[in-house]
């Protein structure tokens, strides 16, 4: 959320993903597996183990939540709910929740769809740096944007537009990077968009489901939506509907430790995920989240967890997606990430 993977090594990640796809597609149908596209495309998975993991101790702190896992098309392969204590809400596939930073993946998809690929030229390079959290705008406060009427107003209210020269060119997780290029007339030129007109703009390229809307104006954190519609968004990445499908491992950026002279550059404690185009690559060597929970070595999945706990992911080989959907307090991702990873590992038998 350092640089183990530079641009030259990104090809290695893609080769590993391709090898993984080939391996899974040569598996024969055995007990506990399923076929997504006929016997020639069978993938080993364990529905019962995934369900057990969702109801295990590792997911207790994430409850209540809804969860599901699916393939590149069709209905979920497995899904379930875990309730919380008395008086807590119940979450279903159609419960709309704040997506918070899960909005970042949608923003990246919009940018690449709008440009039909990676944006180019000087302004394009700066847009990519914004999506990689390297542009130096590290001070945006999402709450202040709720008092703004436009994308530009969200960027200029309070001290949201503060620029940190020490962070420019270095990774620093904040919605300010994306908001700068969104409002800038020399970049995305969305400064005069309101919540409704901003959504119309993004939806015009992505054809998002009906539960999606901008309930706040930061493009990197302002969306709300439900698991059903977000699942379709993930499937459109996996099946190649969106241009982003071919760029999930674009020039991965190191996220921990912070660059010299910077502190607080990542919300994930000492977990050393990489970052690429407004989503995480879960290739960490280990690490401890900010709530003290330890993560095992990562499996290379792509993800975009939100502050309030919404946790979507796609496996490294792009064959399966998963979602944990809930609305907790800020920082709830510290509980849903370990939970979702446990469910994924159990499902894949890893």
């Amino acid at each position: 959320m350092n640089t183990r993977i530079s641009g030259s090594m990104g090809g290695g990640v893609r080769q590993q993903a391709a090898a993984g796809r080939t391996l899974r597609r040569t598996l024969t149908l055995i007990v506990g597996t399923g076929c997504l596209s006929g016997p020639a495309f069978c993938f080993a998975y364990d529905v019962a183990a995934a369900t057990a993991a969702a109801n295990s101790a590792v997911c207790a702190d994430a409850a209540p939540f809804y969860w599901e896992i699916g393939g590149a098309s069709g209905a979920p392969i497995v899904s379930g709910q875990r309730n919380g204590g008395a008086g807590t809400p119940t979450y279903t596939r159609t419960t709309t929740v704040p997506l918070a930073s899960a909005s970042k993946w949608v923003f990246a998809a919009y940018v690449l769809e709008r440009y039909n690929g990676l944006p180019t030229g000087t302004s394009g390079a700066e847009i990519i740096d914004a999506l990689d959290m390297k542009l130096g705008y590290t001070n945006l406060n999402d709450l202040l944007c709720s008092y703004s009427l436009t994308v530009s107003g969200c960027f200029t209210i309070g001290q949201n537009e503060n620029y940190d020269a020490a962070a420019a060119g270095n990774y620093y997780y904040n919605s300010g990077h994306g908001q700068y290029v969104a409002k800038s007339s020399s970049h995305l030129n969305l400064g005069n968009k309101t919540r409704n007109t901003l959504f119309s703009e993004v939806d015009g390229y992505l054809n998002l489901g009906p539960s999606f809307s901008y309930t706040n104006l930061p493009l990197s954190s302002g969306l709300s939506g439900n698991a059903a519609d977000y699942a379709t968004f993930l499937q459109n990445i996996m099946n190649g509907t969106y241009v982003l499908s071919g760029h999930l491992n674009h020039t991965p950026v190191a996220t921990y430790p912070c660059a010299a002279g910077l502190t607080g550059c990542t919300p994930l404690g000492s977990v050393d995920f990489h970052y690429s185009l407004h989503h995480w690559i879960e290739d960490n060597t280990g690490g401890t989240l900010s709530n003290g929970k330890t993560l095992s070595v990562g499996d290379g999945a792509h993800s975009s967890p939100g502050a309030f706990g919404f946790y979507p992911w796609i496996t490294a080989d792009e064959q399966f997606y998963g979602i944990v959907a809930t609305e907790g307090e800020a920082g709830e991702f510290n509980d849903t990430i370990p939970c979702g990873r446990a469910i994924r590992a159990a499902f894949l038998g890893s």
Side-chain angles (χ1 to χ4, degrees), residues 10-301:
V13 174
R14 288 188 290 273
Q15 291 168 2
Q16 291 170 5
R21 285 193 291 270
T22 301
L23 175 61
R24 290 191 180 279
R25 287 173 177 168
T26 58
L27 292 173
T28 56
L29 183 61
I30 59 173
V31 175
T33 69
C35 294
L36 300 184
S37 304
F41 295 94
C42 293
F43 304 86
Y45 57 74
D46 193 329
V47 167
T51 302
N55 291 294
S56 70
V58 72
C59 286
D61 291 340
F65 61 86
Y66 166 84
W67 67 277
E68 72 178 53
I69 296 176
S73 63
I77 296 169
V78 58
S79 63
Q81 296 167 276
R82 181 160 180 177
N83 295 326
T88 59
T90 298
Y91 294 95
T92 71
R93 195 168 196 251
T94 57
T95 303
T96 298
V97 297
L99 299 178
S101 284
S103 306
K104 289 179 171 62
W105 223 347
V106 178
F107 182 28
Y110 157 74
V111 170
L112 267 65
E113 211 67 23
R114 174 171 159 174
Y115 285 87
N116 195 29
L118 297 168
T120 59
T122 301
S123 65
E126 290 175 342
I127 292 170
I128 292 172
D129 276 349
L131 296 179
D132 286 347
M133 304 285 181
K134 296 169 57 180
L135 210 55
Y137 293 97
T138 63
N139 203 57
L140 189 135
N141 182 324
D142 292 13
L143 178 61
L144 290 178
C145 289
S146 64
Y147 299 100
S148 302
L149 297 178
T150 64
V151 168
S152 181
C154 167
F155 183 71
T156 58
I157 191 171
Q159 298 180 330
N160 278 0
E161 64 183 322
N162 282 13
Y163 174 78
D164 184 353
N170 295 307
Y171 173 85
Y172 199 105
Y173 192 85
N174 188 268
S175 294
H177 309 278
Q179 204 68 14
Y180 168 74
V181 295
K183 71 89 186 176
S184 169
S185 59
S186 58
H187 296 88
L188 298 177
N189 195 27
L190 302 175
N192 66 345
K193 299 295 185 184
T194 64
R195 290 171 180 80
N196 289 338
T197 59
L198 175 61
F199 180 74
S200 295
E201 165 71 14
V202 173
D203 189 45
Y205 286 93
L206 299 180
N207 191 26
L208 299 168
S211 72
F212 277 98
S213 67
Y214 278 101
T215 51
N216 201 2
L217 281 164
L219 277 84
S220 298
S221 58
L223 282 169
S224 291
N226 65 31
D229 289 338
Y230 205 100
T232 300
F233 167 76
L234 295 176
Q235 289 176 323
N236 284 340
I237 295 175
M238 296 162 67
N239 62 33
T241 297
Y242 294 151
V243 175
L244 181 60
S245 175
H247 299 277
L248 289 180
N249 291 299
H250 175 73
T251 57
V253 175
T255 65
Y256 179 85
C258 298
L262 297 177
T263 59
C265 67
T266 172
L268 294 186
S270 62
V271 175
D272 55 342
F273 289 167
H274 279 77
Y275 202 77
S276 174
L277 298 178
H278 255 36
H279 66 275
W280 300 98
I281 302 172
E282 298 193 15
D283 58 354
N284 61 302
T285 58
T288 302
L289 292 165
S290 56
N291 67 347
K293 293 187 176 181
T294 300
L295 293 187
S296 58
V297 173
D299 59 3

